Amino acid sequence: MRLFKIRDYRHLFSAQVIALFGTGLTTVALGLLAYELAGPQAGLVLGTALTIKMVLYVAIAPIAAAYIDRLPRRAFLVTLDAVRAGVVLALPFITEVWHVYVLIGLLQASSAAFTPTFQAVIPDIVTDKADYTRALSASQVAYTMESLLSPVLAAIALSFMSFTWLFLGTSLGFVLSTLLVLSTRIPNARRGTRSGAWDRATSGIRTFLRTPRLRGIIALNLVVAAAGSIVIVNTVTYVRDELGGSQSAVAWMLAASGTGSLVAALTLPRVLDRITERTVMLTGAALLSVATITAAALTAAGVITWAGTAILWFVIGAGMAMIVTPTGRILRGAVEPAKLPGVFAAQFSLSHLAWLLTYPIAGWLGTSAGLAITWSSLAVLAAGAAIAARFLWSRGEALDSADAPSVPLRPRTPLAAGAAAEAA
């Protein structure tokens, strides 16, 4: 693909992908660390840590996007990777729960600033307009593939090593990301006005709020977060305490969700050639609503089995992919190319805002009120958001040329599988 023939972009994109997977593997290992430190209270610890993550993502990402033109960008990216490498390396040695919160705060603050900085660099490296659009899509795909594959990779790794080695591996990954950034020629930005920078940072959110299909995406983000929080926050305590499983069993249960996402992502490119994105995404929302309601009902009835949980986690993973994978296509079709950076940045912040709402429910309510009440609450939230998305995103808008299932570009390489088709 022509885009990846650009050396500086290739190195920088590789750094982003490595850092993303490092963050994803750290999330899995963090759940196991929380159980080691807090036992049955692990859901509370993990929910709090992930809430801290989302607060920082929502708060820092738009600020970094607004003021990144005032910093030497390559040095800033290198510093962020170095901080993340050091934090992850320190995590296995902590002994108190509050240490987790402090280190996760540092880690996620760095990650939240890395993404908008990376996106701000792209137009200075990729100057062709068509390639720039593809570069933005490739970045979105990287986020999608990380969420699909990280649990699977973690499950494989935990089959033959302790979770503490995951921290070491991800720390080395951040070091490699640092080296790739250092090998990239990144020009410093031309300094703009303060008000103009802030306007650029918030323009995407304003576009979301006045575009019906994008308002629908906001609701669908909440569906994904409600179902995904059950898997990400509650799997470790559910598998260890309710099912009596081991560390590797936790990872394999997470991998069941990742496998569902991967299967759906591999299938979707052909499906989206024949069916509108709206239909696919609303079907995914309905699937997630049914899966969360079923999980809540089975838990309330005391029906707890390995097979049943794995099937539900697989379905949740598939439903999440049905919503997340086509999102980049919707964003590209909703606005003109000049507004794409702002819209992608807005999706980054708004999607994390949804997780900011659901992570505390899964972690805090799960610890204090039990999983049956917690999952019932999240199921109601998912179903309500799914219904809202159907009304916010009108059927007529799905039939215009921007949403029609006729995306013309798709790479003819193995990377075209699944969500990576968006990077064409």
Side-chain angles (χ1 to χ4, degrees):
M1 186 165 54
R2 186 176 63 181
L3 175 63
F4 289 97
K5 292 180 180 178
I6 303 172
R7 175 189 175 276
D8 289 332
Y9 174 77
R10 186 173 64 248
H11 283 208
L12 194 59
F13 180 76
S14 298
Q16 183 207 23
V17 170
I18 291 170
L20 280 173
F21 275 92
T23 303
L25 292 174
T26 299
T27 301
V28 175
L30 178 63
L32 297 171
L33 174 63
Y35 189 86
E36 185 173 275
L37 292 175
Q41 302 292 310
L44 175 62
V45 174
L46 186 56
T48 301
L50 293 173
T51 299
I52 292 171
K53 169 184 176 179
M54 293 307 153
V55 168
L56 293 171
Y57 267 55
V58 172
I60 291 178
I63 295 173
Y67 298 108
I68 189 58
D69 60 344
R70 287 159 172 77
L71 297 171
R73 295 185 295 186
R74 186 170 73 164
F76 187 50
L77 289 171
V78 168
T79 301
L80 294 175
D81 268 341
V83 169
R84 293 191 289 184
V87 168
V88 172
L89 192 60
L91 278 170
F93 302 103
I94 65 176
T95 57
E96 302 291 338
V97 169
W98 69 268
H99 296 163
V100 174
Y101 301 149
V102 172
L103 291 178
I104 288 301
L106 289 172
L107 175 68
Q108 302 305 339
S110 300
S111 296
F114 188 95
T115 296
T117 306
F118 169 82
Q119 291 178 335
V121 167
I122 293 176
D124 291 333
I125 294 177
V126 182
T127 56
D128 181 80
K129 289 184 178 180
D131 285 343
Y132 175 53
T133 300
R134 295 186 182 103
L136 288 175
S137 297
S139 180
Q140 180 75 18
V141 168
Y143 282 101
T144 302
M145 296 307 292
E146 181 274 317
S147 65
L148 305 185
L149 294 179
S150 286
V152 179
L153 295 177
I156 294 172
L158 288 170
S159 297
F160 56 87
M161 67 174 65
S162 167
F163 74 88
T164 55
W165 288 100
L166 280 183
F167 289 123
L168 176 60
T170 54
S171 181
L172 293 175
F174 285 126
V175 172
L176 178 57
S177 176
T178 301
L179 295 175
L180 286 167
V181 173
L182 284 172
S183 71
T184 305
R185 292 164 294 187
I186 301 175
N188 289 331
R190 288 175 294 181
R191 184 163 178 163
T193 63
R194 184 172 297 272
S195 60
W198 184 251
D199 286 342
R200 288 195 301 272
T202 58
S203 63
I205 293 178
R206 294 196 300 269
T207 300
F208 259 81
L209 295 177
R210 63 174 175 259
T211 306
R213 83 189 74 172
L214 297 185
R215 291 201 296 268
I217 295 294
I218 295 174
L220 291 171
N221 287 336
L222 187 55
V223 180
V224 170
S229 293
I230 292 176
V231 172
I232 295 173
V233 176
N234 297 136
T235 294
V236 60
T237 52
Y238 187 76
V239 171
R240 295 301 298 268
D241 293 338
E242 302 294 335
L243 295 175
S246 62
Q247 289 183 7
S248 61
V250 172
W252 280 112
M253 192 61 75
L254 290 170
S257 176
T259 302
S261 295
L262 191 58
V263 169
L266 291 171
T267 307
L268 281 174
R270 292 190 182 91
V271 173
L272 290 170
D273 284 337
R274 298 186 297 273
I275 302 175
T276 64
E277 286 90 344
R278 178 184 183 275
T279 300
V280 170
M281 296 170 80
L282 291 179
T283 301
L287 196 63
L288 289 177
S289 300
V290 171
T292 53
I293 291 170
T294 303
L298 291 178
T299 303
V303 180
I304 300 171
T305 65
W306 284 98
T309 305
I311 291 171
L312 282 176
W313 265 223
F314 181 93
V315 172
I316 289 174
M320 292 172 65
M322 291 172 69
I323 295 174
V324 173
T325 304
T327 296
R329 289 161 58 126
I330 296 298
L331 299 183
R332 294 202 311 271
V335 300
E336 59 268 25
K339 293 184 178 180
L340 277 177
V343 168
F344 274 93
Q347 168 62 7
F348 180 84
S349 293
L350 292 171
S351 61
H352 286 88
L353 186 61
W355 291 96
L356 177 57
L357 174 63
T358 60
Y359 274 150
I361 294 174
W364 302 344
L365 189 61
T367 301
S368 61
L371 294 181
I373 293 176
T374 301
W375 292 1
S376 297
S377 301
L378 290 169
V380 170
L381 190 60
I387 294 170
R390 184 174 294 275
F391 285 99
L392 288 170
W393 186 355
S394 65
R395 182 181 298 275
E397 197 184 21
L399 298 178
D400 64 21
S401 59
D403 285 335
S406 57
V407 175
L409 295 171
R410 182 169 289 124
R412 305 299 183 185
T413 68
L415 290 177
E422 291 184 58

